[in-house]
Structures are given as C-alpha cells and as structure tokens.
Amino acid sequence: MSSVNPGALPEDEDKARSARAEWPLWEVFIRGQHGLNHRHVGSLHAPDAEMAVKNARDVYTRRNEGVSIWVVESRHITATAPGEKGPLFEPSESKIYRHPTFFDIPDDVGHM
Amino acid sequence: MYAQMVKSTGKGLKSRDEMTEEERAFQDRIDADTKIEPRDWMPEGYRKTLIRQIGQHAHSEIVGQLPEGNWITRAPTLERKMILLAKVQDEAGHGLYLYCAAETLGISRDDMTEQLLSGKMKYSSIFNYPTLNWADIGAVGWLVDGAAIMNQVPLQRTSYGPYSRAMIRICKEESFHQRQGYDIMMKMAQGSEAQKRMAQDALNRFWYPSLMMFGPSDAESVHSAQSMAWKIKINTNDELRQKFVDQTVPQAEYLGLTIPDENLEWNEEKGGYDFSQPDWEEFFEVLKGNGPCNAERLAARQKAWDEGRWVRDGLLAHARKKSARKVAAE
C-alpha cells in the first residue's frame, strides 16, 4: 500500500515538532436519509475520534447526506489483498443459480 | 485543468513489445476500464505522475480559496456572503478529497504542503490573478469553475479509483459553484451602468487567464500521450479549450457582454468558434512565479501553515495524553 503509515500516532514529543507529526488518518462512513447501511464516503486526518467525527460532519454532511457517522482509524482496517481476488471471488461466478433470474417462472403465476 | 503541464515519464509511449509482463497486464486492465486501486501493482511513472497531478489539483483547490476569500467580508448582501462562504468551504473539502487520494499513492499530506510552500509543487496559474471587484467573484464562478468542470467531468472516468471517486464527489458540487457565479454575473449585467461596466471589466480580465487554465497545446506532448494511455488525462488541452469557448460564448451573449477577442467567429465547418490564443509567454511567466499575486498567495499559505502549527501540535498532544490515560486506566 503506501510507504507512509498515516494511521499511527507519532510517538515522541520531538517528532511532534517536526513535519512528521501528522494527525492519523480516519475512514468515514455515513448512513444516508433512508435507513440504508453506513457507506464509506472518504477519509480525513484528525487527532482523535471525537475530532474525526466533527471533521467528518463538517466535510461529508454539508448537503443533508447523512443521519449517522462512523469513523475508524485507517490502520485498524483489515483488507483483502489484490492478489487474493481470484480465489476469493471467482468461485461465485459459476453459481448462477443463486440469482432469482435463473428460474423460469411462467407469467401466469403472477408476480414472484 | 487545475493541473497544468504535468510531466509524466517523458520517455514516450512504450510499445507492447517494450513493456514488461507486469506493464502489459497493467495496460490491459486500463484498456478494459478496470480501476486501479492503491494496493495494486502500478508502474512507478504512473504513481509519480498521478502524485504530481492530483497534488497540483489539491493545491489549486486550497490556494483557490484565497482570491474568493478576499470578498467574503465585502459581499454586497448577507445572502451573497453566506453563499460565497459555502463555496469557499466546498473548495477546502475538494482539496481534502484530493489530498486523501494522493496520499494513497504513498506521499504524506505534510510532504505535499511542504512541496507547495517550497515551490516544488505547483497550483493552477489562474489563482495568481487578483479579484478586484465584486463582479470578479461572478467571473471566477462562471469562467474558472466552468473551465474546471470541463476537465473534471471526464476525469470522473480516470483509471485510478481514489482519484475517480474524488472527482465524482467534486463534480456534484461544482455545478453549484458555476451557477452561483453566473447568477452574480446576471445580476450585475442587468444592473446599473456602473455594474455592467464592472461585469464587462471582470470578463475582460478573466477571459484569457481562463483559457490558459487548459494549458498550452499538447498535441505533440509525450507527457500527454503517456497520460492519455494511462487514462489519467482524457482529452487534449485544445479539445477542452474549444469545448469551453463553444459553451461560454452564448452565455456571454445572454448576459449582453462582449468576449474580449476580435477574432472570435463561428466556424460552420468545424462546428465551433475560432478564437485567439492567450499570451502563452504570460502563462509561463505566471508559472515561474512572476504573476500578479504569486508571492501573496504563497505567503498566505505559509502564514496559515506556520500559525496553525500550535493547533496541530496542541490537539495531537491532547490526543496523546487522553490515549495514555486510557491505557493507564485499563
């Protein structure tokens, strides 16, 4: 991924005075008006969770985009590796019977 | 557009035979319109060019707040002031989306800020022009944001996932910006004689700098050829400039304003306007740092960076203290 690790808090006070004392990176998730799942909308830097929520509110909900915000520090997210794409996701490609459109239901039966 | 003269590898396009196996697979994904994501393999040139381009774009959003911020306290009505404030806040958000996209390529936010302040990274030439009267705020929204939209709409389809997603968010908001600018221009153009003169004056001063935003003709540029193959540039500079002129001329006519170009003429054959090129010497001077406001803009960014340091450090110290207490309590 990236060569910097924006997730970690800088450790000592000396570093805090250098340019490397960046606030950690947070991922922002918003639930929209209509009760759908929280959805990833972007990221931002903030010193702690409380400020991350405040900043997320200021940046990502300026036009009624949401009714609830989650933030999580980026370094706490575990992700699948791009190389695993094949073994993880290809098996479902051949299982077309999992989709409702697989089945031919006569029109006479009505809506199903 | 907010990115001008972005250099890529400079080596020219590789043929398929010259590519390594990884490079070929990468180009195939791009040709098939599959998005490239941060952890995917990518050629070093792709990564570096994107950092330059997205970084320049992000800096432009941030520096672009300055000419407009100049008028927040002097907006003619409270409503206009609130609208302008919202627009300038949007620009800060746009900068943030783009910085985040660039960070996924392995450069830190502070590195980018420092490279802006040291002059190593650039921002769009347009923001080195002053906003002298209220109509300029209208002209900026109408022309500058209008020119930005020309470039940003196609970039929603760019090959790099995080950049594409940032552009999608930005485009949703840009149309508000352009319309608020045109709304100011309509009000001024339909106003008193003095207001009309101000509107015409703003158009006169912003027309050519807006055309410069697209950058010089890049029909022959190796950088552009590579960027287009990678789909981090979708149209040539000349295509976008032509599109912008064709769209803007009727809008100026509606306002009853005159585009400051004696050579402007409809060309039936090409289905677009013929128009004069801006003064490219002036453009290169502005890029070099010799525009009317370069020093002022960078000084303002430097001041904000220096004077904001205690806030950044203070909040971090507070977070560190709280987190230490939490650990101690456990």
Side-chain angles (χ1 to χ4, degrees):
Chain A
M1 198 198 284
S2 75
S3 60
V4 289
N5 176 8
L9 275 179
E11 287 182 0
D12 54 63
E13 292 285 336
D14 274 350
K15 273 191 179 167
R17 259 171 247 116
S18 82
R20 289 291 140 272
E22 277 197 16
W23 293 344
L25 191 67
W26 300 75
E27 300 303 323
V28 180
F29 300 80
I30 307 261
R31 187 206 297 284
Q33 305 276 0
H34 307 292
L36 298 176
N37 292 328
H38 284 78
R39 195 168 157 232
H40 183 244
V41 293
S43 18
L44 49 77
H45 288 273
D48 56 28
E50 193 188 335
M51 285 301 295
V53 167
K54 285 193 171 126
N55 290 349
R57 176 244 181 213
D58 287 347
V59 180
Y60 290 108
T61 62
R62 287 167 50 69
R63 293 182 172 84
N64 306 322
E65 287 93 338
V67 293
S68 165
I69 300 174
W70 287 351
V71 295
V72 60
E73 241 185 274
S74 309
R75 67 188 168 121
H76 293 314
I77 289 182
T78 307
T80 57
E84 297 172 316
K85 223 181 264 175
L88 285 178
F89 305 117
E90 271 166 25
S92 71
E93 280 174 19
S94 57
K95 299 177 176 57
I96 49 168
Y97 48 81
R98 290 177 176 173
H99 297 274
T101 46
F102 177 77
F103 305 95
D104 257 337
I105 305 290
D107 288 346
D108 298 345
V109 178
H111 179 72
M112 185 178 283
Chain B
M1 124 117 8
Y2 277 172
Q4 296 158 325
M5 311 281 298
V6 175
K7 292 198 168 86
S8 72
T9 60
K11 293 193 193 102
L13 275 177
K14 282 186 183 174
S15 69
R16 283 189 76 78
D17 291 341
E18 293 166 321
M19 290 181 188
T20 64
E21 203 177 312
E22 275 174 319
E23 286 169 338
R24 257 196 305 270
F26 179 81
Q27 190 61 50
D28 287 343
R29 289 186 63 192
I30 288 182
D31 294 342
D33 281 331
T34 307
K35 294 277 183 256
I36 308 299
E37 295 297 339
R39 295 163 75 201
D40 294 340
W41 184 88
M42 60 185 82
E44 196 51 21
Y46 178 85
R47 198 181 67 81
K48 284 193 174 150
T49 308
L50 266 179
I51 288 178
R52 271 195 288 266
Q53 179 173 331
I54 303 174
Q56 204 183 105
H57 193 158
H59 294 323
S60 300
E61 300 284 355
I62 298 299
V63 176
Q65 294 180 101
L66 297 169
E68 295 187 289
N70 181 35
W71 280 89
I72 290 175
T73 55
R74 289 176 286 166
T77 66
L78 182 58
E79 186 185 56
R80 295 271 178 206
K81 179 191 257 188
M82 287 167 65
I83 292 170
L84 182 57
L85 191 57
K87 176 176 193 279
V88 173
Q89 286 170 339
D90 276 352
E91 307 295 3
H94 295 181
L96 177 135
Y97 307 153
L98 288 159
Y99 281 130
C100 285
E103 285 175 87
T104 63
L105 293 157
I107 186 167
S108 76
R109 180 85 55 99
D110 283 0
D111 278 335
M112 281 185 276
T113 305
E114 276 167 7
Q115 290 184 20
L116 168 70
L117 296 177
S118 74
K120 195 177 163 210
M121 284 179 101
K122 303 287 181 201
Y123 56 90
S124 175
S125 58
I126 189 73
F127 301 117
N128 291 311
Y129 290 86
T131 43
L132 303 177
N133 77 48
W134 172 250
D136 287 14
I137 298 304
V140 166
W142 172 37
L143 300 173
V144 176
D145 288 288
I149 291 171
M150 279 292 149
N151 186 56
Q152 290 170 347
V153 166
L155 276 177
Q156 293 178 101
R157 292 181 282 116
T158 186
S159 61
Y160 189 55
Y163 190 25
S164 157
R165 292 189 283 273
M167 289 318 327
I168 290 169
R169 290 194 68 85
I170 288 174
C171 284
K172 276 190 192 155
E173 296 172 357
E174 284 291 359
S175 139
F176 150 63
H177 295 178
Q178 197 190 10
R179 294 172 75 131
Q180 69 85 34
Y182 198 71
D183 182 63
I184 292 174
M185 292 308 276
M186 284 197 296
K187 195 84 183 171
M188 301 287 282
Q190 291 159 7
S192 67
E193 277 309 311
Q195 285 174 314
K196 273 183 219 167
R197 271 199 308 276
M198 285 163 84
Q200 182 63 52
D201 173 53
L203 172 58
N204 291 349
R205 281 179 294 106
F206 275 93
W207 175 251
Y208 286 106
S210 299
L211 295 187
M212 288 178 199
M213 287 176 68
F214 299 93
S217 178
D218 59 353
E220 311 289 324
S221 160
V222 287
H223 300 301
S224 291
Q226 177 62 77
S227 291
M228 288 177 92
W230 279 334
K231 294 191 188 165
I232 56 183
K233 183 179 174 71
I234 314 289
N235 305 91
T236 67
N237 296 347
D238 289 325
E239 278 167 11
L240 292 172
R241 189 170 13 250
Q242 181 71 52
K243 229 177 136 187
F244 173 74
V245 171
D246 293 345
Q247 178 189 287
T248 308
V249 170
Q251 295 170 352
E253 281 168 1
Y254 180 85
L255 293 172
L257 300 178
T258 311
I259 303 273
D261 180 358
E262 288 174 0
N263 301 316
L264 186 82
E265 201 176 355
W266 178 255
N267 181 331
E268 191 62 46
E269 204 176 313
K270 77 170 177 187
Y273 286 91
D274 290 331
F275 56 92
S276 302
Q277 289 291 313
D279 177 356
W280 290 113
E281 232 164 84
E282 176 184 320
F283 170 78
F284 287 113
E285 280 303 309
V286 173
L287 278 201
K288 263 193 263 169
N290 302 324
C293 299
N294 294 61
E296 190 186 327
R297 301 294 185 237
L298 273 185
R301 289 308 307 143
Q302 184 73 55
K303 183 167 180 270
W305 180 242
D306 293 342
E307 294 183 357
R309 161 151 288 184
W310 70 272
V311 179
R312 297 192 297 274
D313 289 351
L315 286 175
L316 193 59
H318 178 68
R320 204 183 280 117
K321 188 181 74 185
K322 266 199 321 192
S323 138
R325 276 196 195 140
K326 205 175 153 200
V327 171
E330 281 164 7

